[in-house]
Amino acid sequence: MPIRVRYFASLKDKVGRSEDELIYATPLSVRDAWRQLHPNLPLPEPLLAAVNMEYVDLDALVQDGDELGFFPPVTGG
């Protein structure tokens, strides 16, 4: 089962789509998932990530069937 990857807010415009599917053979980190999907696009800084709707560190592992979300930090008053 692939990893469903979703992009939110300005990241949708940056990558040109709202989601991807990632099929992998070995466990990979959130950071590695970004690199596999966007080899020519540096990881934006700052960046928030969530696995199955829980915030995670960029070194957290994603597993088969997970949903991974990337989004920019939210600011406001």
Side-chain angles (χ1 to χ4, degrees):
M1 181 179 247
I3 297 168
R4 182 177 179 200
V5 181
R6 301 181 70 194
Y7 308 100
F8 296 91
S10 60
L11 286 178
K12 281 196 292 190
D13 295 332
K14 192 167 197 158
V15 301
R17 55 193 173 276
S18 61
E19 61 182 73
D20 277 312
E21 284 191 353
L22 179 62
I23 298 172
Y24 70 102
T26 59
L28 72 164
S29 70
V30 169
R31 185 184 316 271
D32 290 338
W34 179 274
R35 289 179 181 151
Q36 284 194 19
L37 290 165
H38 309 287
N40 298 319
L41 186 63
L43 192 71
E45 296 281 340
L47 177 70
L48 297 175
V51 174
N52 299 326
M53 295 196 257
E54 292 197 23
Y55 289 111
V56 295
D57 183 279
L58 296 179
D59 294 321
L61 294 178
V62 289
Q63 301 180 24
D64 203 24
D66 282 346
E67 181 177 277
L68 170 60
F70 288 109
F71 43 96
V74 177
T75 60

